[in-house]
Amino acid sequence: MPRRPLPIELALQGGGSHGAFTWGVLDRLLDEERLEIVALAGASAGAMNAAVFASGLLEGGREGARAALRRFWTRVSRAAAPHPFGAWSALFTPWGADAAHLYLDALSRIVSPYQLNPFDLNPLRDILAEEVDFERLRRDTRLRLFVSATHVRSGRLKVFRHEELSAAAVMASACLPLLFRAVEIDGEAYWDGGYAGNPPVMPLVAESPAHDLLLVQINPVHSAAVPTRAQDIVDRINEISFNASLLREMRTLALMKQLIESEGRPGQDYRSPLFAQVERLRTHRIHGESALLGLGPASKLRTSWDFLCQLFDIGRSAADAWLHWHGRDLGRRATLDLAEYLTD
């Protein structure tokens, strides 16, 4: 009798065009028929990858998911033609990512996207709406999705769960406030989910039936050197900001694990459903820190097809290497020690 596939859950970080690294990781994971992805959480580009992956999987199985992701990233690259409106033209400028990065930084200090893009043009919104059948996603509960956004007025994390998913929710998750107008949903304004949950780990842990959590991390945690140039300092601040929520949630999981291990001492009893989920949780991580760090933050604006394919190859290779060394640990033991989040 064939063994049932092992259920796993994926947490997909955001990071602009570097999300093509995650595309490569997902493509490689689809080869593993012994694994069944039952839940995904994502922010920004991670949210887009999650929605496109889920839609393709429900439509055409593993090959459907693989084709949907390739089609989505192909369309993103093709949409990156010069546009008559300043911010969008700068975002996909042929001058090069570094020039575009500096141009956007200077421009954002003078005008807001409400002035620069009064018609709120965003080709990604059309691509997403055409590529993802959100109505079908909401109806089918075999695959759970969690998408993060930042509530503008309170600054709090907003998690759009499976039954709330829409193109607007995913666009809110990817809304960089200096480039695009806030996305309004039910009268509330939202910005990029990377500020508050990149990706949203705790809801995934609490509500997914899987006990193996695989984090796909694309924002470098460590810096090769202390930045001294103004732009390098700004870039490092952005890297730290977009990792802060993830580090906080992973530290929370580590502390909960520590409390569970101390159970039995006087006055300590942890029997809530969430603690039960955390007790059984096995954590894993795939990242391309060394390769992505060398590209620099400005490269997150690059969307040429050659560059996206390069990132895809890096992601697929990283997943292949991780599966070679740790694939057998899935379902048995954690390969990411949460204790590292408790140290300085």
Side-chain angles (χ1 to χ4, degrees):
M1 183 175 178
R3 297 177 61 181
R4 292 185 60 185
L6 175 71
I8 65 171
E9 55 195 17
L10 303 181
L12 311 180
Q13 203 174 39
S17 66
H18 287 191
F21 169 89
T22 303
W23 165 32
V25 171
L26 292 171
D27 191 85
R28 176 62 183 88
L29 291 176
L30 285 167
D31 293 339
E32 299 293 312
E33 298 203 4
R34 64 192 178 91
L35 303 179
E36 181 183 7
I37 299 167
V38 298
L40 301 100
S44 199
M48 292 191 176
N49 274 321
V52 172
F53 174 91
S55 183
L57 192 68
L58 294 176
E59 180 71 28
R62 292 172 185 265
E63 289 309 310
R66 177 174 281 116
L69 285 166
R70 175 167 289 274
R71 190 168 58 246
F72 171 77
W73 284 101
T74 300
R75 293 190 64 181
V76 167
S77 181
R78 289 175 179 169
H83 194 279
F85 289 90
W88 195 248
S89 179
L91 184 60
F92 298 120
T93 179
W95 307 332
D98 290 331
H101 199 202
L102 292 171
Y103 176 72
L104 283 174
D105 182 63
L107 193 63
S108 66
R109 298 173 190 273
I110 304 170
V111 292
S112 84
Y114 293 83
Q115 301 164 306
L116 197 63
N117 187 6
F119 299 106
D120 196 23
L121 298 173
N122 191 335
L124 275 177
R125 183 167 49 227
D126 297 331
I127 294 172
L128 195 65
E130 292 167 6
E131 291 295 330
V132 179
D133 186 342
F134 284 98
E135 184 177 349
R136 179 171 183 172
L137 273 186
R138 291 191 297 269
R139 286 199 314 264
D140 198 319
T141 58
R142 288 175 294 172
L143 189 62
R144 300 287 296 173
L145 266 67
F146 305 85
V147 169
S148 66
T150 303
H151 186 249
V152 176
R153 292 191 301 114
S154 68
R156 293 182 176 179
L157 170 66
K158 166 63 179 177
V159 177
F160 292 97
R161 287 168 168 79
H162 197 85
E163 58 278 3
E164 302 173 287
L165 284 179
S166 65
V170 177
M171 291 306 300
S173 184
C175 178
L176 289 170
L178 293 178
L179 289 180
F180 304 110
R181 297 167 62 170
V183 176
E184 287 200 10
I185 300 174
D186 296 331
E188 297 293 341
Y190 297 97
W191 282 339
D192 197 292
Y195 297 112
N198 192 19
V201 175
M202 294 303 293
L204 182 65
V205 172
E207 301 176 35
S208 165
H211 302 311
D212 282 87
L213 167 65
L214 176 57
L215 168 66
V216 182
Q217 188 168 359
I218 58 178
N219 288 307
V221 173
H222 302 97
S223 175
V226 175
T228 55
R229 295 191 311 156
Q231 189 57 52
D232 293 339
I233 292 171
V234 171
D235 290 343
R236 184 57 184 154
I237 289 171
N238 287 334
E239 286 176 346
I240 292 171
S241 299
F242 278 94
N243 272 325
S245 61
L246 173 63
L247 296 176
R248 183 173 60 250
E249 289 198 274
M250 298 302 280
R251 179 177 173 82
T252 298
L253 283 174
L255 289 170
M256 292 178 73
K257 284 274 193 184
Q258 197 173 69
L259 288 170
I260 291 167
E261 290 169 1
S262 69
E263 186 176 16
R265 297 176 185 175
Q268 293 180 327
D269 184 17
Y270 305 103
R271 301 188 187 278
S272 73
L274 178 56
F275 271 95
Q277 285 288 89
V278 172
E279 184 176 17
R280 293 190 292 266
L281 184 67
R282 296 176 290 268
T283 47
H284 315 276
R285 178 177 60 198
I286 294 175
H287 65 84
E289 180 156 315
S290 58
L292 298 180
L293 183 62
L295 297 175
S299 65
K300 293 179 180 180
L301 301 180
R302 292 175 60 187
T303 53
S304 70
W305 182 240
D306 287 345
F307 182 64
L308 295 181
C309 287
Q310 177 189 347
L311 291 169
F312 169 87
D313 290 339
I314 294 171
R316 188 171 167 88
S317 295
D320 188 65
W322 187 89
L323 286 165
H324 174 76
W325 291 107
H326 300 296
R328 293 181 181 178
D329 293 316
L330 287 166
R332 300 172 59 196
R333 64 176 68 88
T335 58
L336 172 61
D337 185 2
L338 289 173
E340 73 177 64
Y341 294 96
L342 297 176
T343 59
D344 293 334

